[in-house]
Amino acid sequence: MIEVKDLQKSYESGLVNDRISLFIPQGSIFGLLGPNGAGKTTLIRMLATITKPDCGTILFNGGPLELKHARHMGYMPEERGLYKKMSVWDQLLFFAEIKGVAKNQAIQRAKYWLERLEISEWKNKKMEELSKGMAQKVQFLCTIIHEPKFLILDEPFSGFDPVNADLVKELVLEMNERGTTILFSTHRMDNVEELCDELAIIHQGKIVVSGKSTDIRRAHYKQTYEVGFSSNAPHEWFETHCISQRTNQEAYIIYELSCKDEKEKNTLIQQAQAHSDWVLFRENLPSIHEVFVQTVS
């Protein structure tokens, strides 16, 4: 869907995006991560055709990105921006029509989405009369009402309570199943773990990590394993290789162990199998949060 090659952008303050290259596959949910000031928003604004790069190329469905492609995009920025004096209903119709949706179809879609999110009774309210969470729902609907092929969500769950955050996640997954490609930027690593097929980490204007989530976690794997027993019966070998110990919800004793090579891993398996109360053995892959902290620290 999107291919970026050697993209560069500078402002008076200096270089913001430095020779960025990345590939967002068709139909994927792609996570864009990075600390504050890393260059995420600048990159997103170029992908959304709001600003242009100083150099480099952006391809949309195989061809150069042009302003006309914005009709096929939905962009929900971190800094929300709706018309405070406009009603919810007029707001939805306005955003649908400027994206090329016929008025009759826009009315049908607005009715559907207001009912789907259970806010039909608020349709004649002005935006300034809504709570932050309610306004967030309307902002999200304005972003998707034209059924974009490429959806950009910048901190989409900010301001939502857990119930509404789960509802938006459900809608995002539904759209993805219908073929929408989604770029998802957030500081919430749990949402990245849950939703994203692929991701990139941007730091100081450069892409420092990119690829499939599982491949990235495995690339940062440090040869640690978790072994569990139904009772506390460790061998001396476990004590010398143990990093930490805990008890899980099933009351199993879980040991985290480090192995320096494949030979030690095989010994670990043999030692575990020697106990009749052995119940668990798994690789302890790092979380996306751990990869992020390790990468940008």
Side-chain angles (χ1 to χ4, degrees), residues 66-246:
E66 300 178 21
L67 190 59
K68 65 181 181 181
H69 294 135
R71 282 199 169 194
H72 305 294
M73 299 180 183
Y75 173 35
M76 182 173 173
E78 182 177 6
E79 296 297 329
R80 313 304 190 220
L82 296 177
Y83 298 101
K84 295 180 180 181
K85 300 295 183 181
M86 189 181 288
S87 71
V88 170
W89 180 256
D90 289 340
Q91 199 109 213
L92 290 173
L93 295 188
F94 172 72
F95 277 94
E97 290 185 54
I98 63 171
K99 289 290 189 175
V101 180
K103 188 168 185 177
N104 289 341
Q105 194 173 34
I107 291 171
Q108 292 176 355
R109 291 184 186 179
K111 287 181 179 178
Y112 168 80
W113 283 115
L114 288 172
E115 291 173 4
R116 178 74 186 273
L117 270 68
E118 300 178 348
I119 55 174
S120 295
E121 68 272 21
W122 294 87
K123 72 176 186 179
N124 294 320
K125 295 283 186 180
K126 293 181 180 179
M127 292 304 303
E128 63 185 2
E129 300 177 271
L130 303 184
S131 67
K132 184 178 180 179
M134 193 70 70
Q136 291 282 68
K137 282 187 176 182
V138 178
Q139 178 92 52
F140 181 75
L141 295 187
C142 289
T143 305
I144 67 170
I145 194 167
H146 61 293
E147 299 181 356
K149 295 178 182 178
F150 182 46
L151 178 62
I152 303 172
L153 301 174
D154 195 354
E155 295 293 349
F157 305 117
S158 174
F160 281 131
D161 59 54
V163 173
N164 284 313
D166 285 343
L167 175 60
V168 172
K169 286 179 189 177
E170 179 185 327
L171 296 177
V172 167
L173 290 171
E174 278 185 23
M175 294 181 68
N176 182 244
E177 288 174 3
R178 293 198 298 267
T180 303
T181 303
I182 298 166
L183 176 62
F184 180 63
S185 179
T186 184
H187 291 103
R188 292 288 304 274
M189 299 301 159
D190 54 337
N191 290 327
V192 175
E193 295 266 13
E194 183 180 357
L195 296 173
C196 297
D197 313 307
E198 306 207 12
L199 62 90
I201 298 177
I202 182 172
H203 183 45
Q204 296 178 345
K206 297 177 180 288
I207 298 293
V208 292
V209 172
S210 65
K212 292 185 179 298
S213 300
T214 50
D215 293 343
I216 290 172
R217 292 176 65 200
R218 188 164 293 282
H220 289 77
Y221 172 53
K222 293 185 176 180
Q223 295 288 330
T224 60
Y225 302 86
E226 287 191 346
V227 184
F229 299 92
S230 57
S231 63
N232 193 5
H235 186 277
E236 182 182 344
W237 193 90
F238 286 86
E239 298 291 350
T240 59
H241 291 75
C242 184
I243 300 172
S244 64
Q245 178 183 334
R246 61 185 172 86

Side-chain angles (χ1 to χ4, degrees), residues 278-291:
W278 170 49
V279 292
L280 173 77
F281 182 89
R282 66 184 173 211
E283 292 179 311
N284 192 17
L285 293 177
S287 66
I288 295 300
H289 174 82
E290 290 170 326
V291 172

